[in-house]
Amino acid sequence: MALSKQTKEAFLGPLNVNNPVLVQILGICSALAVTVQLKPALVMGISVTIIVALANVVISLIRKSIPMRIRIIVQLVVVAALVTIVSEILKAFAYDVAMQLSVYIGLIITNCILMGRLEAFAMTNNVKDSLMDGLGNGFGYAMILVIVAFFRELLGSGKLLGFQIIPDSWYVANGGCYENCGMMLMPAMALILLGCVIWAHRSINDEEKK
Amino acid sequence: MEHALSLFVRTIFADNMIFAFFLGMCSFLAVSKDVKTSLGLGVAVIFVQTITLPVNYLLQVHVLEPLGLGYLSFILFIAVIAAITQLVEMIVEKVSPSLYATLGIFLPLIAVNCAIMGGSLFMQQRVGLDPMNVKAIANLGDAFAFAIGSGLGWMLAIVCLAGIREKMEYNDVPKPLQGIGITFITVGLMAMAFMCFSGLNI
């Protein structure tokens, strides 16, 4: 099946040029809070992708019958129902990760990416494009989460996905000369790292434009 | 009473909504360009938070918990928040048009502000805590203290950032870092400064 240009654009745009986190500055709250380790970041990225894609599809299906005045509440209820389902599934199959994510799973409801995509895209586009747009934005969001979490976990605790990456013998305690950067585990570093990612992203994209 | 006061101070400084939990980041970054507007949004957040959080507290304690409907909390809380923001908007418009002129544009924004929803979800987590714990919310007074404290903390953060950003207009920032990039780094540095409060104990 050949995808139309518009559909492709809906999927690929948010991955780079139109990234929801880096360019549109949406969904920052959770992007920063869950990135201390790689695993919760991955789970969060996947959950958001699923919810954005499904919510986009549902809203796109019923877009013609939603009264304009109460559309925000309709959108919120659809999203809240989806988030409740995902949250219950996570509690059942990945309890420890669900506990780590704590309130941030519930906060997917107020994640600006969802409301932004529903308002700006799903309300005016057909189901197929909306699905691709949702997937694209979800992946774009997950990508940033993973990048930030990668650096924070590697530099902050010397691990990736819970596995030790930096050899034990390097640490000062074992006679080496390496020490974890405790600062990376603090909330403040998430902001600064994301600032640097935005910096890199902008300088690369500006060069391409020239 | 003592507990409520300690919770209140803790929520403003040590458990600041922005610097410790990153809640309400989107509007925090988007609206912090000048002090006056951010003050307006800050007041609106305190206002809505102070009404919705105690309402959600009562719902949690008297409806959701006794009936074992905990899993419905997301839908219920967001519906309460959306309805109350809508209601507040209509009442303010009717009663005080001048206040509406300053707050009005922000009120719809607040329905999807994570700080409001986050406040309610934190409240839900803290209801069951041991009453001796400083973070516990044991009664309606505590819920009010937590609501006002978290709103005030949010306002403090956004007004500070707006002040810094106004001054930063004149700085020579590298081009790709201009705008949002440098704002993130500024917030990061502010968060480090707020970490000093984390040992605060009253």
Side-chain angles (χ1 to χ4, degrees):
Chain A
M1 182 180 70
L3 292 170
S4 68
K5 195 165 171 267
Q6 200 199 355
T7 316
K8 246 189 218 160
E9 187 51 37
F11 180 68
L12 291 177
L15 287 183
N16 183 18
V17 190
N18 221 353
N19 190 289
V21 181
L22 298 183
V23 181
Q24 305 172 37
I25 317 296
L26 297 174
I28 306 290
C29 323
S30 50
L32 295 168
V34 300
T35 50
V36 180
Q37 286 168 351
L38 203 50
K39 199 173 158 200
L42 263 177
V43 173
M44 186 73 180
I46 295 167
S47 315
V48 170
T49 308
I50 294 171
I51 294 172
V52 181
L54 289 180
N56 255 359
V57 169
V58 172
I59 291 293
S60 172
L61 278 173
I62 57 171
R63 68 182 188 278
K64 295 204 175 93
S65 50
I66 302 177
M68 276 313 268
R69 281 194 71 86
I70 58 157
R71 65 181 194 285
I72 303 271
I73 295 190
V74 174
Q75 291 164 358
L76 279 176
V77 170
V78 169
V79 174
L82 287 168
V83 171
T84 308
I85 296 170
V86 168
S87 151
E88 293 296 311
I89 292 177
L90 278 181
K91 271 185 201 155
F93 294 105
Y95 188 75
D96 47 333
V97 179
M99 285 300 106
Q100 251 180 322
L101 291 172
S102 74
V103 296
Y104 293 99
I105 285 285
L107 284 173
I108 297 179
I109 299 175
T110 50
N111 192 320
C112 328
I113 293 180
L114 282 167
M115 296 307 285
R117 289 336 288 168
L118 295 179
E119 268 297 283
F121 202 91
M123 285 299 282
T124 47
N125 283 283
N126 66 33
V127 177
K128 202 174 82 190
D129 286 358
S130 299
L131 175 68
M132 294 317 268
D133 179 77
L135 284 176
N137 277 286
F139 284 137
Y141 170 85
M143 198 169 70
I144 304 306
L145 248 64
V146 167
I147 293 175
V148 176
F150 176 82
F151 285 111
R152 282 184 81 186
E153 190 174 359
L154 184 63
L155 299 177
S157 44
K159 294 174 182 170
L160 280 180
L161 282 170
F163 297 107
Q164 192 74 32
I165 296 291
I166 312 272
D168 275 336
S169 56
W170 286 18
Y171 284 98
V172 175
N174 298 329
C177 55
Y178 184 80
E179 198 68 76
N180 281 330
C181 173
M183 201 63 213
M184 279 289 165
L185 302 176
M186 298 295 174
M189 271 325 273
L191 287 158
I192 294 177
L193 262 178
L194 193 59
C196 295
V197 174
I198 291 178
W199 187 1
H201 180 258
R202 291 232 167 136
S203 19
I204 293 168
N205 274 19
D206 280 356
E207 268 165 30
E208 272 174 12
K209 269 177 210 156
K210 279 169 204 163
Chain B
M1 197 56 222
E2 214 175 277
H3 177 77
L5 193 67
S6 134
L7 183 72
F8 176 70
V9 176
R10 238 195 108 78
T11 321
I12 300 181
F13 295 107
D15 288 345
N16 188 290
M17 277 287 177
I18 297 274
F19 297 128
F21 301 116
F22 310 110
L23 296 178
M25 254 349 219
C26 308
S27 36
F28 175 71
L29 294 169
V31 188
S32 58
K33 290 206 178 71
D34 66 292
V35 174
K36 212 173 147 232
T37 340
S38 48
L39 199 65
L41 184 65
V43 173
V45 166
I46 299 180
F47 199 55
V48 176
Q49 184 81 303
T50 317
I51 302 171
T52 51
L53 209 144
V55 170
N56 280 341
Y57 171 79
L58 291 176
L59 277 173
Q60 166 74 18
V61 173
H62 295 293
V63 181
L64 292 178
E65 258 173 30
L67 298 178
L69 293 174
Y71 55 89
L72 280 183
S73 57
F74 293 164
I75 295 190
L76 200 66
F77 287 174
I78 198 71
V80 167
I81 292 168
I84 287 183
T85 20
Q86 194 87 53
L87 203 69
V88 167
E89 194 184 347
M90 287 191 306
I91 293 173
V92 171
E93 192 179 9
K94 203 86 185 160
V95 177
S96 163
S98 65
L99 184 65
Y100 183 75
T102 38
L103 287 190
I105 38 167
F106 302 122
L107 284 171
L109 257 178
I110 288 174
V112 288
N113 188 324
C114 333
I116 307 286
M117 184 68 185
S120 289
L121 291 175
F122 274 124
M123 175 276 296
Q124 190 193 19
Q125 275 192 343
R126 290 172 175 202
V127 163
L129 286 181
D130 172 33
M132 292 313 289
N133 191 326
V134 268
K135 288 183 174 178
I137 294 178
N139 52 41
L140 195 58
D142 289 355
F144 266 110
F146 182 64
I148 301 175
S150 57
L152 259 180
W154 199 88
M155 186 175 94
L156 184 72
I158 194 171
V159 172
C160 287
L161 179 65
I164 295 176
R165 280 180 84 170
E166 274 186 5
K167 287 271 179 267
M168 232 160 44
E169 292 275 297
Y170 308 105
N171 290 7
D172 188 20
V173 179
K175 204 156 179 293
L177 202 55
Q178 271 169 18
I180 203 68
I182 193 70
T183 311
F184 268 111
I185 294 179
T186 315
V187 179
L189 294 175
M190 288 169 78
M192 274 187 214
F194 263 70
M195 265 160 49
C196 304
F197 289 117
S198 60
L200 197 70
N201 225 340
I202 300 166

